Amino acid sequence: MRRFLLLLTLSSTLEMHANAFSLRTTSMIGRYEPNASTSESASTSSTSLNAKKEICILGGGFGGLNAALTLSSLPWPNDDEKPTITLVDKKERFTFLPLLYELCVGDATLDEVAPTYTSLLKGTGIEFCQADVQGIDLDSDAVYLNPIGSGGQSSDTTTTQTTNKMDYDSLIVATGADINLKAIPGAEEFALPFYTLDNCLELRKRLTLLDALIEDNDFSQSDTIEVVVVGGGYSGVELALNIQERLQVGKGSGGGDQNQNQTNKKVKIKMIHRGEEVLQYATEFNRKTGVERLEKAGVEIITGTSVVEVSALEIDDKEDAMRGLNGRCQVTVENIDTKGAQTFNADILLWTAGAMATNTQQGILNSKLPRDASGRIVTGKYLRAKDCDNVFALGDCARVKQVPYGATAAVAMQQAPVAAWNVYATLTNDTNMNTDPELLPFTYLNLGEMMTLGGQDATISSMGLVEVNGTAASVLRRLIYAVRMPTAQQALTAALSSSGKRIEVLSKNQRKKNV
């Protein structure tokens, strides 16, 4: 336990150091007068020195939410001049993406992984608006939103569409990147991505249905559950190992006590990866650990291969046993070098190969914002959009440098305080002095990486100082994520809900060994 606490303290210190390093080196519609001049963004944001400024943040993921919380905590000159901060997201809940695997297999609660924005922002003074972004008018310093009702649906009808205008003095765009499967025939129809809470709940529903089908005795001992995972990066490896354990052990396992009636199921998982090796961007320690766990679990790794088509099953000898299970298909893959093709059946096809922007003229791209060929907003080192004085972008939707940073939560979380500070510096700058605000450049500090490898297994590598795997890493990983939750209340919820359960399992296993 002392080792756990020592490592937790080290990791927390590193995370706080990164945020400090970044800062050092580094109703809600139509609140403004309609006749305000909009010819120059920098000058219009200060039409009155006493006017209450408006900050709009589009996207409530790691980057957007943490930017909003940082802005709320900064020392504004006085309460009367503290801007109104509005966070806009189309979803009702924030999702702590690294714990989606645990939520899917029943090892984490919904409130721990996906709390509502209302609960997270309580007492912060930040306003939340659930809406779809229709476009951004840079000339008028305004965004256009389609509000979403309590049922999660847009407020438009078959004949009209309600679009509201929200004015801003400063804008932060942190909407992430959407998965795009249109390039692969059939993938959009059959593949299940694993990037959102909805994806997670859909997969959990399919796993529960599989449990029911097996218990109905229509699933013979010779039948095999076939799962294909596309993508051999962090997400693909984590998902494959958690799903393999979940299917072998049974529902509600959480990596704990096994359901002995279900351990005889045959599960075959194939991992399709374009690269020459899986986990190619991971540290050597984590790559070695991950590959060892995949091999031990019997996951078949197929590298140097791309999916070229997904289609309906032509011959299905398990149709009766699998009745009602959506997404069953055939997956055709092609070796990149030899061009040889193979076809695999999949009861579940999971897609983790990467989120790509669609680069279509909609949402935040329904604007004059500069973007690259992949649809990412082009910014400079200050995270400010090119040729825009009061628009900043961060996370997966932005490209800060020629070779983009990885699309990870760690990057977005470190960019958030930098973007927040630069907005703060811009709005509090005395424009009458004709001086430029002191903006901070973004520098990414790689703190290391953590991966879940199953219910009671994980691997952690941090800055060459910490390398640990197994059950100790599993407990430590959840404790570290508890510390990284966006609010203190959410951190407490996560710590009590997850880490306590893990320590209980460890204690139970130790008692069994002593018997």
Side-chain angles (χ1 to χ4, degrees), residues 179-192:
I179 186 69
N180 180 16
L181 299 178
K182 295 182 182 295
I184 311 297
E188 194 170 31
E189 178 181 359
F190 292 102
L192 177 60

Side-chain angles (χ1 to χ4, degrees), residues 76-94:
W76 297 93
N78 56 65
D79 289 340
D80 292 335
E81 294 182 18
K82 184 176 181 179
T84 299
I85 304 169
T86 302
L87 180 67
V88 179
D89 197 276
K90 62 184 177 181
K91 299 295 185 181
E92 179 188 15
R93 294 176 178 269
F94 166 77

Side-chain angles (χ1 to χ4, degrees), residues 472-489:
S474 178
V475 175
L476 179 59
R477 172 178 170 271
R478 293 295 288 271
L479 287 171
I480 292 172
Y481 278 148
V483 172
R484 291 182 178 179
M485 289 292 174
T487 65
Q489 181 60 44

Side-chain angles (χ1 to χ4, degrees), residues 27-36 47 51-57 82-88 125-129 140-143 145 164-170:
S27 170
M28 295 181 285
I29 308 299
R31 294 191 178 99
Y32 277 86
E33 298 177 6
N35 60 347
T47 54
K52 196 173 182 66
K53 302 294 190 294
E54 306 282 340
I55 301 174
C56 177
I57 302 173
K82 184 176 181 179
T84 299
I85 304 169
T86 302
L87 180 67
V88 179
I126 300 169
E127 298 185 7
F128 173 66
C129 176
S140 299
D141 288 343
V143 297
L145 306 172
N164 291 334
K165 177 184 177 184
M166 179 184 291
D167 299 315
Y168 64 80
D169 290 280
S170 284

Side-chain angles (χ1 to χ4, degrees), residues 442-459:
F442 173 69
T443 302
Y444 177 61
L445 177 62
N446 189 348
L447 296 174
E449 58 195 31
M450 303 185 292
M451 294 171 54
T452 172
L453 304 175
Q456 301 302 322
D457 195 6
T459 181

Side-chain angles (χ1 to χ4, degrees), residues 483-500:
V483 172
R484 291 182 178 179
M485 289 292 174
T487 65
Q489 181 60 44
Q490 188 62 20
L492 179 62
T493 299
L496 295 177
S497 174
S498 62
S499 301

